Amino acid sequence: MPLVKIDRDLEPLMDLFLQKRKEDLDELLKLREKMDFENIRLAGHRIKGASGSYGFSDLGLLGKAIELSAKNKKSEDLINYISKFEEYLNNLEIEFE
């Protein structure tokens, strides 16, 4: 289960951040069905950027992997990374410090 330690100053923003990542997941799952590589790439890029800004480095790495897999049209890798993204979000624990 991923445990992420986040600066307490970001606590008021976490609900919106997590809501947006769940929206990203819903979008990725729909796009994966069509293998819409360009829009998956854009979503991965967005996840990568937003996650790093909030201290979720592992989530940012998943976003980068999704982005690169889509850019290179690696369907099997995309399926794997999107599943890992879903698992990460479903099991995430946040600790504020």
Side-chain angles (χ1 to χ4, degrees), residues 2-8 10 54-57 88 92-97:
L3 173 65
V4 180
K5 295 183 179 188
I6 301 292
D7 188 299
R8 188 165 301 286
L10 294 175
Y54 285 86
F56 291 88
S57 56
Y88 186 98
L92 177 64
E93 286 190 29
I94 299 173
E95 183 177 300
F96 295 100
E97 40 182 31

Side-chain angles (χ1 to χ4, degrees), residues 43-82:
H45 183 79
R46 182 175 59 245
I47 292 163
K48 175 182 71 173
S51 298
S53 300
Y54 285 86
F56 291 88
S57 56
D58 289 344
L59 199 56
L61 291 173
L62 278 173
K64 180 178 181 179
I66 290 168
E67 178 184 16
L68 292 176
S69 295
K71 181 179 179 182
N72 295 313
K73 296 181 170 42
K74 302 272 189 176
S75 300
E76 289 181 30
D77 290 348
L78 273 175
I79 291 167
N80 181 42
Y81 289 128
I82 291 170

